[in-house]
Amino acid sequence: MNPYLQVGNLQVASSLHRFLESEVLPGTGISADKFWAQLELLIDDLSPVNQALLQKRDALQDQLHQWHNQHRDDFNAETYKAFLSQIGYLEPEVEDFQIGTQSVDDEIAIQSGPQLVVPVTNARYALNAANSRWGSLYDALYGTDVIDEGGGAERSDSYNEVRGQKVISFGKSFLDQAAPLTKNSHADAVAYTVVDGQLQIVLTSGGRVGLYDKVKFVGYQGNPSSPSAVLLRNNGLHIELLIDRRHLIGQNDLAGVKDIFLEAAITTIMDCEDSVAAVDAEDKVDVYRNWLGLMKGNLQAFFSKGDTTITRALHPNRSYVSPEGEAFELAGRSLLFVRNVGHLMTIDAILDRNGEEVPEGILDAVVTSAIAMHDVLGNSLYRNSNKGSIYIVKPKMHGSKEVAFANTLFDRVEDLLGLERHTIKIGVMDEERRTSLNLKACIREVKDRIVFINTGFLDRTGDEMHTSMEAGPMIRKNHMKSSIWLQGYERSNVHVGLTCGLQGKAQIGKGMWAMPDLMKEMLQQKISQLEAGCTTAWVPSPTAATLHSLHYHQIDVKEVQSQLLMQKVNYIDQILEIPVSHDPSWSQEEIQQELDNNAQGILGYVVRWVEQGIGCSKVPDINNIGLMEDRATLRISSQHLANWLRHGICSQEQMIETMRRMAHIVDKQNANDPAYRSMSADFEHSAAFQAALELVLQGFDQPNGYTEPILHRYRRAFKAGSTALNA
């Protein structure tokens, strides 16, 4: 229970009140009285606007349902487009403009590189992600399937020298590609030395060579004649050669190189949204407290490894000497964004003057910004933004008016906190259909604070299916990736971002690689995102960030973007290609396969969310391949089943039977988890099973197909020990 304190006309959960007044506000220069008074005004003014925007979503969806029902047999693309313009779903084109965002850190504006997204609720994961600015290439290779296990190179508990040699060979080949020598290979090096500010490499032949491009040598550690580290830079990313001839690896390397460290996760999104399960005041304080620890630089996590207790903390900066002999530092940590929740949900952490829960997105904006003030004011052990900016990613916005509302909200937060205008920067997630179609208008609404646009295949597909729910049965889920609308959407996002002037000022991002165990396949496929012009792309782990960084050494994204800027294209018609199956002649076996796959994924995720409060985890799929699951993956799966149910591809009885059968499989997959509660033991009283079933059977009625309303209701009831789960 979380009793409330009356503060003006607000009722504030005691835990949040105590946290803000004792941990957040001290050091910001903001008095508690002023904070609460201004927050009350902000909530009074903006909550009704937030609600009106949600009502507009519902009204547009109702009109879309009606239109598709009337035109299912005589669909015409031009008539459809005219209808979307008539109802304001497709907005008028805006004049050309260039964004004017100022004070953007180089990691966002200039550097290209991997981006991690991590639930901020888990301090250990959050710290690991923040510390993933640098990663060991040797560790990343040795522990994954990138290095094959043939010829005696199997992974084992003890060091396998055969496998190690394959790793080292891979590393030397990488160096030859990223920082080639004037002749020969890094594999021929027996020593690295610094002479008169230049890097010299001694070869096995006794000769000396330099780098083909001398400016790629940017620093070193230790004695110049025998440095302990050599720092290189390629395509804006750093490479550090660690040299130690006494080390297990270094003693067997001709040049004494024990490892190659790569600058990897340049930026990280600390997530308060899709990957967390925060449903009440207690949960929100946990979310905010970890963010505060990151902004103050004092967050720690403790865990046991054998008989040893290990402490995680933020890494310090890395120190070097430049070729000219000057000392300098590089950041040891990823630059951090924080992802707030969208406009939809409310939270009981504060009740307004009418006793109603306040919009959670409003609370997030105020509190996460107040916390980040400690970084802006220099109250932190380490600096996150050297430019004094606060970076907030805003998800799940539909169209330019919702983006304009976010801009107004950020204006009001800056005024409340006494921050200069546009201190708070915004990342706009392009993951809803109305935003994709009207992206240019959306960017214009935040043109002086935008630092990020990003495509999100899963949420975007979930909205695609819900928006056109009545148009007909959707194609199979795995076929979505080759659909016309998706290709247009991915290309349009980059094109619009570039034409609005994001190059050199803001990130253009692409979505997640969801299979953390399949790193070899990631290396083969994810490079295509750079070839499409993105400056950053999401990865599921620090190891994946290190490996994905290899792609940014292969491709200079700035050159790709410069070529794309010369193109003049419009992808609206492609984006409007609805992914319905015009001849759904699937066999019963194919239908059941699709049902099984979706149902198993839904159950595997929901059971952890509702009953363990885990918002993101590696969940085994129906073939026992681990997939990173969050609410976005849940949205697409549940909406796909709801669509097929709506159009009679399967019956409700078949759906329920499938869910029950898949629950048995998920129970078996989790049999070794002592905290797990079986669903199949009592379907009627399993909160997780009932939540999963409702997500499908009631999927048509969920606002924009979102899963949060159902998940939150069941999670709250479960935490309260309630049996009235359907109340």
Side-chain angles (χ1 to χ4, degrees), residues 134 172 174-175 179 181 186 189-195 197-202 209-211 213-234 237-245 255-263 318-323 328 330:
W134 296 85
K172 303 290 186 178
F174 161 70
L175 291 175
L181 308 180
H186 283 273
V190 297
Y192 291 88
T193 64
V194 180
V195 179
Q198 298 292 324
L199 181 64
Q200 289 191 2
I201 298 91
V202 182
V209 295
L211 296 178
D213 186 349
K214 294 180 180 180
V215 299
K216 290 190 176 185
F217 169 59
V218 293
Y220 64 94
Q221 293 174 350
N223 189 320
S225 63
S226 57
S228 59
V230 170
L231 187 68
L232 310 173
R233 185 171 59 212
N234 177 55
L237 288 178
H238 292 93
I239 305 164
E240 186 182 273
L241 279 62
L242 299 176
I243 302 169
D244 183 354
R245 296 186 182 275
V257 175
K258 70 173 182 178
D259 206 342
I260 300 171
F261 262 54
L262 301 183
E263 199 173 16
R318 302 169 81 88
S319 300
Y320 304 94
V321 177
S322 74
F328 70 99
L330 293 178

Side-chain angles (χ1 to χ4, degrees), residues 3 27 167 481 644:
V167 167
K481 290 185 177 180
W644 275 23

Side-chain angles (χ1 to χ4, degrees), residues 587-619:
S587 68
Q588 283 303 308
E589 182 181 1
E590 290 173 319
I591 292 170
Q592 191 61 60
Q593 183 185 53
E594 191 74 23
L595 300 185
D596 287 354
N597 181 55
N598 280 318
Q600 188 274 340
I602 291 169
L603 288 160
Y605 177 70
V606 170
V607 70
R608 297 183 182 185
W609 207 102
V610 169
E611 300 194 0
Q612 296 185 32
I614 299 173
C616 180
S617 61
K618 187 169 70 172
V619 177

Side-chain angles (χ1 to χ4, degrees), residues 406-647:
N407 190 60
T408 299
L409 172 61
F410 287 5
D411 281 349
R412 290 291 298 268
V413 173
E414 287 166 343
D415 294 342
L416 188 160
L417 300 176
L419 295 169
E420 292 184 6
R421 184 63 76 233
H422 303 139
T423 296
I424 304 174
K425 307 302 193 288
I426 191 169
V428 174
M429 294 292 296
D430 175 9
E431 57 187 353
E432 308 296 335
R433 197 166 183 256
R434 278 169 63 200
T435 295
S436 300
L437 290 166
N438 306 295
L439 183 58
K440 188 176 180 180
C442 292
I443 293 173
R444 186 181 62 172
E445 295 295 343
V446 285
K447 64 183 181 64
D448 293 320
R449 68 167 84 243
I450 191 164
V451 291
F452 168 102
I453 57 173
N454 184 288
T455 55
F457 162 67
L458 293 165
D459 259 310
R460 181 63 182 78
T461 304
D463 192 53
E464 182 74 22
M465 291 191 293
H466 189 84
T467 299
S468 306
M469 181 68 75
E470 295 285 44
M474 295 292 154
I475 60 178
R476 295 185 69 177
K477 193 169 72 173
N478 282 342
H479 295 166
M480 283 288 178
K481 290 185 177 180
S482 58
S483 60
I484 294 174
W485 77 265
L486 181 61
Q487 304 306 312
Y489 156 65
E490 292 284 359
R491 295 189 184 102
S492 179
N493 175 271
V494 176
H495 174 72
V496 172
L498 290 175
T499 57
C500 292
L502 269 67
Q503 186 183 37
K505 295 181 180 178
Q507 290 180 328
I508 299 177
K510 293 293 182 188
M512 179 67 77
W513 179 262
M515 296 167 283
D517 296 330
L518 303 183
M519 290 292 97
K520 181 178 181 180
E521 191 173 346
M522 186 194 77
L523 281 184
Q524 293 169 348
Q525 294 188 27
K526 204 167 176 66
I527 195 170
S528 64
Q529 295 178 321
L530 282 70
E531 293 168 340
C534 81
T535 55
T536 191
W538 288 3
V539 285
S541 68
T543 294
T546 301
L547 293 172
H548 182 41
S549 70
L550 297 172
H551 292 143
Y552 297 86
H553 290 283
Q554 293 176 259
I555 292 181
D556 186 339
V557 178
K558 288 182 289 186
E559 290 185 5
V560 174
Q561 290 186 341
S562 296
Q563 293 296 317
L564 291 172
L565 268 169
M566 294 188 287
Q567 301 178 8
K568 294 187 180 298
V569 287
N570 188 314
Y571 294 99
I572 296 299
D573 288 343
Q574 290 185 31
I575 296 174
L576 287 174
E577 281 280 336
I578 301 172
V580 294
S581 176
H582 299 290
D583 182 24
S585 55
W586 301 297
S587 68
Q588 283 303 308
E589 182 181 1
E590 290 173 319
I591 292 170
Q592 191 61 60
Q593 183 185 53
E594 191 74 23
L595 300 185
D596 287 354
N597 181 55
N598 280 318
Q600 188 274 340
I602 291 169
L603 288 160
Y605 177 70
V606 170
V607 70
R608 297 183 182 185
W609 207 102
V610 169
E611 300 194 0
Q612 296 185 32
I614 299 173
C616 180
S617 61
K618 187 169 70 172
V619 177
D621 69 3
I622 199 167
N623 299 310
N624 285 313
I625 295 174
L627 301 178
M628 292 302 294
E629 300 276 356
D630 63 9
R631 287 203 302 268
T633 60
L634 180 64
R635 185 183 182 192
I636 182 176
S637 297
S638 58
Q639 283 299 294
H640 196 256
L641 291 186
N643 171 265
W644 275 23
L645 189 61
R646 184 79 177 174
H647 293 282

Side-chain angles (χ1 to χ4, degrees), residues 140-317:
L141 293 169
Y142 189 90
T144 65
D145 66 345
V146 175
I147 301 299
D148 69 76
E149 300 195 49
E154 298 85 1
R155 282 176 274 184
S156 59
D157 293 336
S158 58
Y159 179 67
N160 182 335
E161 189 172 343
V162 175
R163 186 171 183 81
Q165 286 303 314
K166 287 190 175 185
V167 167
I168 292 168
S169 178
F170 186 110
K172 303 290 186 178
S173 295
F174 161 70
L175 291 175
D176 288 341
Q177 172 260 310
L181 308 180
T182 52
K183 63 178 181 178
N184 289 64
S185 163
H186 283 273
D188 301 321
V190 297
Y192 291 88
T193 64
V194 180
V195 179
D196 296 330
Q198 298 292 324
L199 181 64
Q200 289 191 2
I201 298 91
V202 182
L203 303 175
T204 53
S205 63
R208 291 174 176 259
V209 295
L211 296 178
Y212 181 80
D213 186 349
K214 294 180 180 180
V215 299
K216 290 190 176 185
F217 169 59
V218 293
Y220 64 94
Q221 293 174 350
N223 189 320
S225 63
S226 57
S228 59
V230 170
L231 187 68
L232 310 173
R233 185 171 59 212
N234 177 55
N235 289 348
L237 288 178
H238 292 93
I239 305 164
E240 186 182 273
L241 279 62
L242 299 176
I243 302 169
D244 183 354
R245 296 186 182 275
R246 297 168 298 177
H247 187 269
L248 173 66
I249 306 302
Q251 66 185 3
N252 293 313
D253 184 90
L254 292 176
V257 175
K258 70 173 182 178
D259 206 342
I260 300 171
F261 262 54
L262 301 183
E263 199 173 16
I266 302 301
T267 55
T268 290
I269 297 174
M270 293 294 164
D271 192 19
C272 307
E273 194 236 6
D274 255 1
S275 65
V276 307
V279 301
D280 54 26
E282 176 188 30
D283 293 339
K284 290 303 289 189
V285 171
D286 288 341
V287 167
Y288 295 148
R289 183 169 281 120
N290 281 349
W291 176 238
L292 177 64
L294 290 164
M295 288 296 95
K296 284 190 170 183
N298 58 11
L299 183 64
Q300 291 187 329
F302 306 92
F303 62 97
S304 297
K305 192 171 184 179
D307 296 329
T308 305
T309 298
I310 296 176
T311 302
R312 281 277 189 275
L314 290 172
H315 287 170
N317 289 340

